[in-house]
Amino acid sequence: MYSIDNKQYPCSTSLTMRYIGGKWKAVILIHLIEKKRYSELRKECKVITERTLSLHLKEMEADGLITRTVHTSKPPLKVDYELTQFGKTLIPVLKAIAEWGKDTAENNDRISFVK
């Protein structure tokens, strides 16, 4: 049994899913393998609402997976997001999930690619 902020997780898988679970966190994290400006991330994740993207970014920052850097040197304000060292430990996991999805899509007649 694991515990974070008085919430218990019965196994290591549930602990992992606390960090990357849900519909969008893993998607956002894989886009952040390379540092991105908020505007770039927004374009790459256009199916995610702006509110949801902002909420997940705040949660992942609080969890120590990403850092947020605000550049105020000249208008307009620019914000960068990137994985922390802790967040980078997820890269092999995220790549494995993406590869599994790609292989599944290529080998399952029920799945079709839509542009």
Side-chain angles (χ1 to χ4, degrees):
M1 183 84 65
Y2 302 91
S3 177
I4 299 175
D5 299 328
N6 296 319
K7 186 167 181 186
Q8 295 188 346
Y9 300 88
C11 64
S12 58
T13 301
S14 65
L15 178 65
T16 302
M17 295 311 293
R18 178 226 188 265
Y19 286 99
I20 66 167
K23 190 172 180 180
W24 300 117
K25 282 187 178 178
V27 173
I28 295 165
L29 287 167
I30 202 152
H31 283 284
L32 289 175
I33 287 177
E34 293 181 15
K35 179 166 59 170
K36 297 263 183 339
R37 290 246 159 100
Y38 179 82
S39 58
E40 294 173 305
L41 188 58
R42 184 79 188 103
K43 286 177 189 170
E44 291 179 9
C45 299
K46 57 185 154 210
V47 296
I48 305 172
T49 66
E50 194 160 348
R51 180 180 186 276
T52 299
L53 179 59
S54 294
L55 176 67
H56 285 320
L57 288 169
K58 286 177 186 173
E59 288 174 1
M60 292 185 290
E61 184 180 15
D63 284 340
L65 295 173
I66 64 172
T67 58
R68 177 180 188 264
T69 305
V70 179
H71 303 279
T72 58
S73 57
K74 54 182 167 172
L77 184 75
K78 296 189 187 215
V79 180
D80 290 334
Y81 289 93
E82 64 185 315
L83 296 177
T84 62
Q85 284 305 116
F86 176 53
K88 288 177 183 177
T89 64
L90 284 168
I91 291 173
V93 175
L94 297 167
K95 286 185 175 182
I97 290 169
E99 189 62 32
W100 183 88
K102 181 181 174 199
D103 290 346
T104 300
E106 290 173 355
N107 297 302
N108 188 324
D109 294 337
R110 293 178 49 215
I111 301 171
S112 59
F113 181 75
V114 180
K115 278 194 167 192

